[in-house]
């Protein structure tokens, strides 16, 4: 049976999965959602004996029904290969009463790799299926993590080019080094004299430039986005929740019929939404615990039913969760609105115009599967230290927010079902804040000295992603003003 996708905001034409991946966003500005969430046709017991790649096929075939088995397996094999430093791709580590699902064993040691390593292959396959012969040009503005993960995913993929803009003085030195050393003759990295919003707005303007789009078409090129609202990013994220449940069954940590709680350090609401879809698809997931840092818009939303972005933006040690508009939440809103696009569009209009919206009590009742929590930076740091001292296990500041929220949830609810905590970044990505939390004096120490010391203390090898940038030559030195971004794109693409 073919699964079609529709917009959260209107009753416009349904599209196949491959079209939804190519388009990214629906024409009315809404997000694509499956008309119904498909259900796994393999038992958890059967899945428990499968590799990550086979599990990925079993999950993705349900959502991407217009891809052939050969196409899907081809994408999966090219994505989940030796770019990951472990054959199991997403290992579970037991510590302090929970299972940490380590989603950071890919090319850029953060969970974005789980989806961005396969998205380029899904996109080029989708283009072929839809007889699109244009080369796909990915344009991305990044505040750090996404840019590098997108570069690593698209570099060297035939039929694609990628251009990443980042604020020249607005990312960490390790993040910048990761990007400017990117290899691949289809990849370009450009520093902007401005902040992340400037870069983001510049990219939006280029996407909206119809004259440029014409010139592009004549040159056999078309823009696309690797944004987290693309279902080509969402669907691959469902896989690891199914995989984690299956592995807990295999290890005898849960019995048939028992459920697993899931805690997710949340920003844009993509990762936790994937866990929700996994539950709807039949994975034995109990509570979905949404963990926020001080930017606790989502915590407040789950408490009160009011979403309110009108508040101070707080910079924290978990920057990938410093978000006031969680774009993927729209898919959950659509569902609790009874799959009603008119109501969803109304709420999203309120959000755009007033920065706030309120759901009905009836909609709020449909959120019973979710629990919200938040933890401050100080609290997360204490958890990093405790896990290190107790278990010699080192976690990153994002994962630590989730671990702290789980501690609170468990104390308040008494719910001691097995629990999976999504571990979204390697501690090596944030060596300074992690080492400070561990109680190490790092004043004046250089990044790579910190990394050596972290390796000694955690007794884990320095990841390849970090080793590589230590000696890698800088390949990208282009810097431009905020108003010169379009010109940079035209030069790079040979359009001027
Ligand atoms: C992107 C990111 C998150 C947030 O994930 P969302 O899908 O945006 O909720 C959390 N932690 C890390 C390390 C990330 O890179």
């Amino acid at each position: 049976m073919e699964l079609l996708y529709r917009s959260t905001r209107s009753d416009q034409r349904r599209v196949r999965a491959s079209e939804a991946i190519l388009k990214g966003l629906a024409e009315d500005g809404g997000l694509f959602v499956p008309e119904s969430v498909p259900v796994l046709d393999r038992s958890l017991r059967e899945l428990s004996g499968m590799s990550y790649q086979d599990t990925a096929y079993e999950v993705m075939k349900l959502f991407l029904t217009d891809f052939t088995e050969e196409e899907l397996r081809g994408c999966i094999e090219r994505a989940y290969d030796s770019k990951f430093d472990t054959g199991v791709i997403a290992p579970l580590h037991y510590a302090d009463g929970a299972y940490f699902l380590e989603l950071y064993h890919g090319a850029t040691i953060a969970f974005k790799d789980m989806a961005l390593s396969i998205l380029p292959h899904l996109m080029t396959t989708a283009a072929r299926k839809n007889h699109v012969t244009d080369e796909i040009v990915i344009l991305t503005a990044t505040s750090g993590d996404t840019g590098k993960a997108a570069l690593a995913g698209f570099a060297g993929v035939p039929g694609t080019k990628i251009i990443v803009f980042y604020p020249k003085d607005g990312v960490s030195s390790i993040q910048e080094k990761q990007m400017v050393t990117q290899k691949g003759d289809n990849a370009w990295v450009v520093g902007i004299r401005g902040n992340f919003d400037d870069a983001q707005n510049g990219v939006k303007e280029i996407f909206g430039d119809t004259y440029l789009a014409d010139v592009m078409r004549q040159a056999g090129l078309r823009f696309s986005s690797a944004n987290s609202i693309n279902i080509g990013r969402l669907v691959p994220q469902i896989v690891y929740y199914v995989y984690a449940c299956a592995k807990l069954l295999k290890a005898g940590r849960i019995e048939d019929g028992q459920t697993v709680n899931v805690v997710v350090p949340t920003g844009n609401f993509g990762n936790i939404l994937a866990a929700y879809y996994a539950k709807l698809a039949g994975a034995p997931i109990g509570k979905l615990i949404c963990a926020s840092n001080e930017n606790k818009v989502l915590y407040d939303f789950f408490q009160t039913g009011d979403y309110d972005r009108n508040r101070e933006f707080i910079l924290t040690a978990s920057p990938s969760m410093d978000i006031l508009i969680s774009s993927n939440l729209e898919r959950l809103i659509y569902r609790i609105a009874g799959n009603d696009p008119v109501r969803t569009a109304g709420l999203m209009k309120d959000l755009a115009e007033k920065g706030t919206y309120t759901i009905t009590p009836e909609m709020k009742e449909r959120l019973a599967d979710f629990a919200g929590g938040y933890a401050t930076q100080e609290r997360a740091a204490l958890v990093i230290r405790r896990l290190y001292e107790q278990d010699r296990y080192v976690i990153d500041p994002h994962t630590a927010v989730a671990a702290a929220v789980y501690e609170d949830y468990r104390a308040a609810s008494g719910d001691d079902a097995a629990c999976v905590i999504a571990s979204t970044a390697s501690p090596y990505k944030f060596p300074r804040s992690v080492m400070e939390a561990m109680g190490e004096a790092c004043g004046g120490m250089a990044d790579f000295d910190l990394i050596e010391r972290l390796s000694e203390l955690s007794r884990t090898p320095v990841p390849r992603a970090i080793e590589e940038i230590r000696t890698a030559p800088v390949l990208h030195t282009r810097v431009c003003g905020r108003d010169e971004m379009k010109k940079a794109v035209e030069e790079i693409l040979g359009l001027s």
Side-chain angles (χ1 to χ4, degrees):
M1 255 246 311
E2 176 140 80
L3 180 68
L4 294 177
Y5 287 79
R6 51 158 306 153
S7 166
T8 49
R9 294 196 193 174
S10 75
D11 259 321
Q12 67 169 35
R13 188 174 73 87
R14 312 293 193 254
V15 299
R16 293 190 304 276
S18 64
E19 290 176 83
I21 290 172
L22 281 177
K23 283 179 191 291
L25 208 62
E27 270 142 37
D28 58 21
L31 311 194
F32 286 115
V33 281
E35 283 207 290
S36 61
V37 178
V39 174
L40 291 163
D41 56 11
R42 299 278 197 169
S43 70
L44 199 65
R45 190 61 70 185
E46 281 176 281
L47 292 164
S48 72
M50 290 186 192
S51 64
Y52 190 87
Q53 292 80 357
D54 286 340
T55 312
Y57 174 69
E58 292 301 329
V59 173
M60 292 175 63
K61 74 173 190 193
L62 302 171
F63 286 88
L64 309 179
T65 52
D66 68 327
F67 286 68
T68 65
E69 171 162 2
E70 195 190 349
E71 286 169 341
L72 260 188
R73 288 202 187 268
C75 292
I76 291 166
E77 266 161 37
R78 275 171 277 163
Y80 304 112
D81 61 5
S82 59
K83 289 192 283 302
F84 284 76
D85 67 11
T86 161
V88 299
I89 308 296
L92 284 161
H93 182 104
Y94 184 77
D96 198 31
Y99 295 87
F100 289 83
L101 176 60
E102 296 180 352
L103 303 174
Y104 56 74
H105 289 272
T108 75
I109 59 176
F111 106 96
K112 304 278 188 304
D113 291 327
M114 300 303 295
L116 281 166
S117 55
I118 194 166
L119 180 71
H121 304 292
L122 294 175
M123 248 184 202
T124 49
T125 306
R128 212 172 322 120
K129 299 176 76 63
N130 288 279
H131 312 291
V132 171
T133 49
D134 296 341
E135 220 176 345
I136 293 170
V137 180
I138 300 290
L139 274 194
T140 304
T142 186
S143 53
D145 279 357
T146 308
K148 178 60 191 184
L151 283 165
F154 280 90
V157 175
T160 71
K161 289 180 159 55
I162 175 162
I163 307 173
V164 170
F165 292 99
Y166 73 97
K168 182 79 183 104
D169 300 312
V171 301
S172 78
S173 60
I174 290 194
Q175 284 175 323
E176 179 173 36
K177 192 94 201 283
Q178 275 191 306
M179 288 191 278
V180 298
T181 56
Q182 178 63 49
K183 297 192 201 89
D185 53 15
N186 66 335
W188 291 268
V189 179
V190 184
I192 297 297
R193 287 187 292 268
N195 59 26
F196 171 65
D197 281 338
D198 294 329
Q200 176 98 327
N201 290 334
V203 164
K204 276 191 193 150
E205 266 169 43
I206 297 171
F207 274 133
D209 187 324
T210 49
Y211 176 74
L212 184 59
D214 270 346
V215 176
M216 293 271 292
R217 210 166 304 132
Q218 281 162 28
L221 300 166
R222 69 154 72 188
F223 286 129
S224 194
S225 137
N227 203 299
S228 88
I229 49 89
N230 195 308
I231 63 148
R233 277 186 66 178
L234 186 61
V235 171
Q237 294 180 172
I238 302 170
V239 174
Y240 44 78
Y241 291 106
V242 174
Y243 183 69
C245 292
K247 293 303 164 203
L248 290 181
L249 181 74
K250 186 178 183 195
R253 304 306 175 108
I254 56 167
E255 307 283 331
D256 277 310
Q258 285 184 322
T259 58
V260 177
N261 292 329
V262 169
V263 192
V264 186
T266 298
N268 238 328
F269 210 75
N271 201 3
I272 192 166
L273 186 80
Y276 183 52
Y277 278 11
K279 179 180 168 106
L280 297 174
I285 292 172
K287 279 276 186 231
L288 297 138
I289 303 163
C290 174
S292 301
N293 63 22
E294 283 95 332
N295 295 291
K296 58 184 184 58
V297 189
L298 289 165
Y299 167 77
D300 293 341
F301 170 71
F302 284 114
Q303 289 298 109
T304 63
D306 298 326
Y307 192 96
D308 187 359
R309 65 145 299 174
N310 300 317
R311 59 180 76 203
E312 195 194 338
F313 176 80
I314 302 166
L315 283 173
T316 74
S318 44
S320 299
M321 300 162 71
D322 292 344
I323 284 177
L324 294 180
I325 295 191
S326 300
S327 28
N328 270 294
L329 185 67
E330 180 169 343
R331 290 188 165 107
L332 178 63
I333 297 295
Y334 170 80
R335 192 170 170 93
I336 62 173
N339 299 338
D340 181 343
V342 176
R343 257 165 106 185
T344 310
L347 294 173
M348 293 306 125
K349 189 158 172 272
D350 287 349
L351 180 63
E353 287 168 3
K354 296 184 280 182
T356 168
Y357 60 81
T358 301
I359 59 171
T360 63
E362 188 198 9
M363 287 169 73
K364 189 158 182 289
E365 267 170 39
R366 297 196 181 125
L367 292 177
D369 290 335
F370 287 85
Y374 77 99
T376 62
Q377 191 161 310
E378 293 71 34
R379 180 70 201 294
L382 288 176
V383 172
I384 291 176
R385 182 159 190 163
R386 191 169 47 74
L387 269 167
Y388 166 62
E389 287 176 352
Q390 262 177 30
D391 299 280
R392 294 275 142 180
Y393 186 53
V394 182
I395 58 175
D396 97 288
H398 301 78
T399 309
V401 168
V405 165
Y406 176 54
E407 214 170 80
D408 294 344
Y409 168 79
R410 196 166 162 175
S413 66
D415 178 355
D416 60 0
C419 182
V420 164
I421 296 177
S423 194
T424 51
S426 160
Y428 284 97
K429 220 164 169 162
F430 304 95
R432 195 168 302 271
S433 48
V434 167
M435 296 269 284
E436 277 168 4
M438 286 160 65
E440 285 287 308
C442 17
M445 273 172 88
D447 282 337
F448 281 103
D449 296 332
L450 284 171
I451 282 164
E452 283 306 324
R453 183 86 183 114
L454 180 56
S455 175
E456 280 166 34
L457 293 173
S458 65
R459 299 182 200 140
T460 55
V462 176
R464 197 171 52 201
I466 298 281
E467 271 314 334
E468 274 170 9
I469 57 168
R470 191 199 296 253
T471 51
V474 171
L475 302 174
H476 305 270
T477 52
R478 195 187 280 261
V479 177
C480 74
R482 192 237 163 282
D483 299 328
E484 297 163 331
M485 288 171 64
K486 181 175 160 190
K487 195 166 137 257
V489 168
E490 287 170 340
E491 279 172 19
I492 287 168
L493 297 177
L495 300 174
S496 55

